[in-house]
Amino acid sequence: MSEEIKGAVVPAALAPFRPEMAFPFLTAEMMERLQAYGHVEEFAAGTQLWERGQREVNLFVVIEGEMEVLAPADDAEMKVLATMQPGQFSGELDLLSTRPTLVNGWAKTDCTLLLIPRPQLQRMMRAEGDIANLIMQASIWRRLGILEKGTGGIVLLGHGNAAETILLQRFLTRNSYPYRLLEPTPEQTANAAASKAEEHLLPAVMFADGLILHRPTIAELADKLGMSEKLDPETTYDLIVVGAGPSGLATAVYGASEGLSTLVVEGMAPGGQAGTSSKIENYLGFPTGVSGQELANRAWVQAQKFGARMAISRDCTRIDQEGCVHVLTLAGGEKVKSRAVVIATGAAYRKLSVPNYERFEGQGIQYAATAMEAVLCKDSEVAVVGGGNSAGQAAIFLSGIAKHVHLIIRGTKLAATMSQYLISRIESSAKITLHTCTEIVHLDGDANLRCATWVNRTTGESETREIGSLFVMIGAEPNTGWLFGTLALDKKGFVVTGGEKAFENSRYATSVAGVYAVGDVRSESVKRVASAVGEGSVVVSDIHKYLARLEDVPAEAGSTLAAMQAVAAAG
């Protein structure tokens, strides 16, 4: 059954997602302005306008007639998502990237459409602010509807509590890609346990075209889904940002919005460690709080709005210099080039030194406390290890779902490492028990974590509890292994910026000309989301100055290391 929303015929299932926001109408004046960016064509009823899986689909605006948007539903049959009428337009988040579209488009009736090609669409998004905002709003709400229904996505067959399944779920969820999780039948489970044949391996990802990938890696899945940009090794960008945490995304937004050709390289998904936070309540401008993933996704879309390109599931493995150009080698051997580089790779989670720890990673041990992980904690006791804000946020969030939360810290109190508003909530919660001067000493279970033992180092008392999930939030190590021998690093492996070793007088300049570092990966940085965003935005002004100096480098120095030295000296 469908409902009529201002003339847009939309299935009732999407009604909670405010169809008036997802399917708005352009004004007559807006339609007139759009004429300058495209051309008008006539289509007969039944004409296919674009096909699911197609990249860089044009923007279609209905002038006369009706246009249908369809996607495969649970039974794999194509279902109508919406019928566009005069004044409405096609597209969702795929409009902002080169990712394949998730839906099909047809001319329902004889119709007249305005076609706006991708290059002109990007020009229009920069020049027509009110229309760009309307398209952005619609794109976000349409993707929310697709995600809720799992429409147009894939099927993930696997046990919901298995580490490999959770990894794929996390990748899809954090990249806003629709999917449905199906638990395997007893027969499928038995076959997977008894056979090593590929067709029995779980988890498996099933696509609408009949293809099945068994136990795919993140890179394999991303490539099949077309989630990564097609990279041209001959293109030289103004700026490449390595890492899509808060600092990297801020750099991308400000760089792209200020006219720099920008590429973001990210190994997993937007957000970094902040993207795994259930709620950030002290971030400026969000008085009721915002989840790390929501904040990251908004910044991700915002960067693409201004033209930033995104390469997902591509870790950077090496950086070399060829004259004034930096050549970055990505996992898999691809190479990309840029005049300036910002290192924003953040840090990786630290682990506990406890027997059986690796055995239960992903099988009860988690490093994030979001809605996805919370499903596994319902009506069971959980433990959170750590005394920082991330641990505090996790404990409070989980206390609303789990039977009880044990917060375990090695120190005597929280005040030195945690914000007061979090401490107050923890102290007032009947569902959170704080264990001070305490450490985890043993983990046990079967295929999954079932219990944990901790010891109070002051009293010597130990306690064993049935724990289904252990959330470890004890800090992180910098993701700089690929930079050893290239940039100056401090004793802990963080990138050294500013000071005597910097190539220019900038707080974010590294020891190599044209390479900057921001956020948690930078030595002596403040480990806060707001600080990371500030660094990412400020560094762009330094990059502009560097690129301006780069233009003045003598041509004869352009193909040698002397070029880099000349720019450094000019700074």
Side-chain angles (χ1 to χ4, degrees), residues 138-326:
S139 296
I140 293 170
W141 280 98
R142 290 173 187 180
R143 178 56 66 97
L144 287 174
I146 290 173
L147 287 172
E148 177 67 15
K149 293 290 292 179
T151 304
I154 57 177
V155 174
L156 177 58
L157 178 67
H159 296 286
N161 61 353
E164 291 176 313
T165 304
I166 291 172
L167 178 63
L168 295 178
Q169 278 188 279
R170 183 174 294 120
F171 172 75
L172 294 167
T173 299
R174 292 186 61 188
N175 283 286
S176 300
Y177 198 93
Y179 72 94
R180 289 185 297 117
L181 176 65
L182 292 183
E183 287 287 334
T185 64
E187 181 182 0
Q188 289 171 324
T189 300
N191 287 338
S195 172
K196 293 184 179 180
E198 180 179 326
E199 64 267 21
H200 294 145
L201 297 180
L202 296 176
V205 179
M206 298 180 286
F207 298 84
D209 61 5
L211 176 69
I212 300 177
L213 292 182
H214 296 270
R215 288 190 181 176
T217 65
I218 293 298
E220 289 170 343
L221 181 56
D223 285 346
K224 172 56 184 174
L225 295 175
M227 296 177 70
S228 188
E229 294 276 355
K230 290 185 175 179
L231 302 176
D232 181 3
E234 301 304 317
T235 297
T236 299
Y237 294 90
D238 293 324
L239 169 63
I240 289 181
V241 183
V242 186
S247 61
L249 290 173
T251 304
V253 168
Y254 280 86
S257 67
E258 293 177 15
L260 299 180
S261 59
T262 304
L263 172 69
V264 180
V265 177
E266 166 58 41
M268 180 66 173
Q273 277 190 294
T276 66
S277 178
S278 55
K279 181 176 281 191
I280 303 169
E281 292 196 60
N282 59 353
Y283 188 72
L284 189 67
F286 292 88
T288 59
V290 61
S291 75
Q293 183 176 336
E294 182 182 2
L295 185 66
N297 285 344
R298 289 185 180 188
W300 185 256
V301 172
Q302 191 175 16
Q304 292 180 90
K305 170 187 175 181
F306 292 117
R309 305 284 299 275
M310 305 291 179
I312 295 295
S313 75
R314 291 293 184 268
D315 286 312
C316 197
T317 61
R318 182 183 176 90
I319 180 170
D320 298 289
Q321 285 71 46
E322 293 181 0
C324 292
V325 174
H326 302 278

Side-chain angles (χ1 to χ4, degrees), residues 319 321 326 341-343 345 480 482-490 493-497 501 503 508-517 521:
I319 180 170
Q321 285 71 46
H326 302 278
V341 176
V342 170
I343 308 298
T345 47
T480 55
W482 63 286
L483 292 171
F484 278 97
T486 303
L487 299 181
L489 308 177
D490 67 14
F494 291 91
V495 179
V496 175
T497 60
K501 293 184 178 180
F503 76 90
Y508 311 109
T510 71
S511 56
V512 174
V515 180
Y516 301 82
V521 76

Side-chain angles (χ1 to χ4, degrees), residues 22 30 105 153 249 360 406 461 471 508 536 559:
M30 288 178 174
L249 290 173
F360 295 118
H406 298 273
E461 296 180 358
F471 295 84
Y508 311 109
S559 61

Side-chain angles (χ1 to χ4, degrees), residues 382-388 391-392 395 404-418 422-439 454 456 463:
V382 303
V384 178
V385 182
H404 196 81
V405 178
H406 298 273
L407 180 57
I408 298 170
I409 65 171
R410 292 191 298 178
T412 58
K413 57 184 179 180
L414 293 170
T417 55
M418 189 179 294
L422 292 172
I423 296 174
S424 298
R425 292 185 188 180
I426 290 169
E427 291 175 342
S428 64
S429 174
K431 294 185 68 176
I432 302 176
T433 299
L434 175 63
H435 302 266
T436 61
C437 305
T438 300
E439 294 181 24
W454 51 78
N456 184 303
E463 182 178 8

Side-chain angles (χ1 to χ4, degrees), residues 37-190:
Y37 299 94
H39 60 278
V40 176
E41 288 191 26
E42 306 283 341
F43 294 92
T47 302
Q48 184 166 19
L49 303 173
W50 71 87
E51 186 176 7
R52 183 172 181 264
Q54 185 178 335
R55 291 179 184 264
E56 298 191 77
V57 175
N58 297 329
L59 177 69
F60 292 81
V61 183
V62 183
I63 298 176
E64 293 180 0
E66 293 183 335
M67 175 176 64
E68 259 183 356
V69 178
L70 308 92
D74 292 354
D75 55 7
E77 292 186 6
M78 300 303 290
K79 303 293 185 182
V80 176
L81 294 183
T83 301
M84 305 294 191
Q85 300 184 350
Q88 295 184 299
F89 51 87
S90 65
E92 46 105 32
L93 289 183
D94 62 274
L95 282 175
L96 306 176
S97 68
T98 62
R99 290 186 181 185
T101 181
L102 300 174
V103 298
N104 286 351
W106 295 81
K108 182 179 181 181
T109 65
D110 292 344
C111 56
T112 304
L113 304 177
L114 173 64
L115 273 65
I116 301 180
R118 279 303 182 94
Q120 296 303 313
L121 174 62
Q122 294 170 4
R123 185 168 70 89
M124 184 273 290
M125 292 290 283
R126 290 178 180 273
E128 309 291 348
D130 55 343
I131 300 177
N133 288 338
L134 199 64
I135 291 174
M136 288 292 298
Q137 163 199 292
S139 296
I140 293 170
W141 280 98
R142 290 173 187 180
R143 178 56 66 97
L144 287 174
I146 290 173
L147 287 172
E148 177 67 15
K149 293 290 292 179
T151 304
I154 57 177
V155 174
L156 177 58
L157 178 67
H159 296 286
N161 61 353
E164 291 176 313
T165 304
I166 291 172
L167 178 63
L168 295 178
Q169 278 188 279
R170 183 174 294 120
F171 172 75
L172 294 167
T173 299
R174 292 186 61 188
N175 283 286
S176 300
Y177 198 93
Y179 72 94
R180 289 185 297 117
L181 176 65
L182 292 183
E183 287 287 334
T185 64
E187 181 182 0
Q188 289 171 324
T189 300

Side-chain angles (χ1 to χ4, degrees), residues 273 345-351 367 472-479 492 494 520 527:
Q273 277 190 294
T345 47
Y349 301 104
R350 285 188 184 140
K351 302 180 180 183
Y367 300 98
V472 180
M473 299 177 173
I474 56 173
E477 305 286 348
N479 287 318
K492 295 182 179 179
F494 291 91
D520 289 3
K527 306 302 188 278

